[in-house]
Amino acid sequence: MTLISEAPVLLSETPSEQPRRKIAVPLYVYSGLTVTAIVAIWWLAARLELVSPVFLPSPNLVAQSAWSLLTVGFVDSTLAEHVVASLGRILGGLLVSILLGVPAGLAIGTSRIGRGILDPIVEFLRPLPPLAYLPLVIIWVGIGEASKITVIALSMLPAIILSTAAGVRSVSKDHLNAARSFGGTERQLLLHVILPSALPAILTGIRIALGTGWSTLVAAELVAATRGLGFMIQSAAQFLVTDVVLAGIGVIALIAILLELAARALERWLVPWAAEK
């Protein structure tokens, strides 16, 4: 008697039946297509004169104006001089806000007394637009560079304080208890446990603060400025030189993107464990 195996025979799948792997399109492709589409629509609208050239100059004219800013300049300064002036104010305001904001955030996150004292000040300052306290800063500080850096620093300060405080409150209790069990002092806990754990949140706050600082730059450079990208844009807007306005906006956006990339690179270097998440 012949025994016939009833076990099913596995047939190999044909290539057409095998699951196809989806090829992931890099994100920069989508970004490039988006920018290309926006420029194409802009060029078409200017070409067909759907909008007056006074209000919407063509991309070619804006590119020519950008080149003229590089070589000739505008309002008695070249583009490089305007960029250096604005970067000095932004970085100066950022330095002041870090020196004040990180200790204040640590105090709010680690101490009930510190939170009780500083939290009302932060919540009062956070929703205020820079133009609201700009006249008061001029009265107190004057119309020099100090007033511009002060306004920019005040606009950056809440983001850094709140991010630092949030980072401190997110520190693992197990890590703190383990450090205390090994005899760690409060100073050692702050320097070797709390601050490193809160560093990713602090860096995120700095990135947010940079965006706020750029948005405040135009308002800050309204005060007796003779150089700066915000001053250049405002001067061009007064004479309806829209191509210079658009070129200045493009330069601000480009610098902001470069600073964001630099901040991300710094984050990957200082806190690689957070960047990998």
Side-chain angles (χ1 to χ4, degrees):
M1 182 176 180
T2 305
L3 296 177
I4 301 176
S5 174
E6 296 180 355
V9 178
L10 297 177
L11 300 177
S12 60
E13 295 180 347
T14 60
S16 60
E17 295 175 346
Q18 293 179 355
R20 296 181 179 179
R21 295 181 180 179
K22 294 182 179 180
I23 300 176
V25 180
L27 291 178
Y28 65 82
V29 174
Y30 296 109
S31 302
L33 291 174
T34 302
V35 173
T36 302
I38 292 173
V39 174
I41 295 172
W42 174 17
W43 178 85
L44 186 62
R47 181 74 174 178
L48 298 177
E49 296 185 355
L50 300 177
V51 183
S52 172
V54 176
F55 303 106
L56 186 65
S58 66
N60 295 335
L61 183 57
V62 174
Q64 292 173 4
S65 299
W67 177 253
S68 177
L69 288 173
L70 280 170
T71 55
V72 180
F74 188 76
V75 287
D76 299 327
S77 298
T78 63
L79 180 60
E81 292 172 336
H82 287 302
V83 168
V84 169
S86 293
L87 275 178
R89 291 163 186 149
I90 288 289
L91 297 179
L94 180 63
L95 178 61
V96 172
S97 61
I98 290 174
L99 292 177
L100 296 177
V102 172
L106 291 173
I108 291 175
T110 58
S111 170
R112 292 181 65 255
I113 297 176
R115 183 176 182 180
I117 294 174
L118 297 174
D119 201 46
I121 300 174
V122 176
E123 292 303 322
F124 172 78
L125 185 63
R126 182 175 59 86
L128 287 179
L131 286 176
Y133 48 78
L134 179 59
L136 189 61
V137 171
I138 295 174
I139 294 173
W140 287 351
V141 183
I143 60 173
E145 288 297 312
S147 63
K148 302 174 183 57
I149 294 176
T150 300
V151 169
I152 294 173
L154 287 175
S155 69
M156 292 179 170
L157 198 55
I160 295 179
I161 292 176
L162 294 176
S163 297
T164 304
V168 170
R169 286 194 289 267
S170 66
V171 176
S172 173
K173 301 297 182 184
D174 294 335
H175 293 170
L176 292 174
N177 292 332
R180 289 192 181 99
S181 67
F182 283 102
T185 63
E186 292 299 321
R187 181 175 178 274
Q188 289 173 333
L189 289 177
L190 178 63
L191 294 179
H192 301 290
V193 179
I194 296 176
L195 197 56
S197 299
L199 191 55
I202 295 173
L203 293 175
T204 300
I206 290 174
R207 288 167 55 187
I208 297 172
L210 278 172
T212 307
W214 279 111
S215 64
T216 311
L217 178 68
V218 176
E221 291 184 343
L222 289 174
V223 184
T226 57
R227 287 179 182 175
L229 292 171
F231 167 74
M232 182 186 75
I233 290 173
Q234 290 293 332
S235 300
Q238 291 176 357
F239 298 101
L240 293 180
V241 189
T242 315
D243 50 338
V244 174
V245 173
L246 290 175
I249 292 173
V251 171
I252 289 178
L254 178 61
I255 295 175
I257 291 172
L258 293 176
L259 287 177
E260 172 70 12
L261 293 176
R264 291 183 182 182
L266 181 64
E267 184 176 0
R268 287 194 298 269
W269 178 56
L270 291 177
V271 285
W273 64 89
E276 292 175 357
K277 292 181 180 180

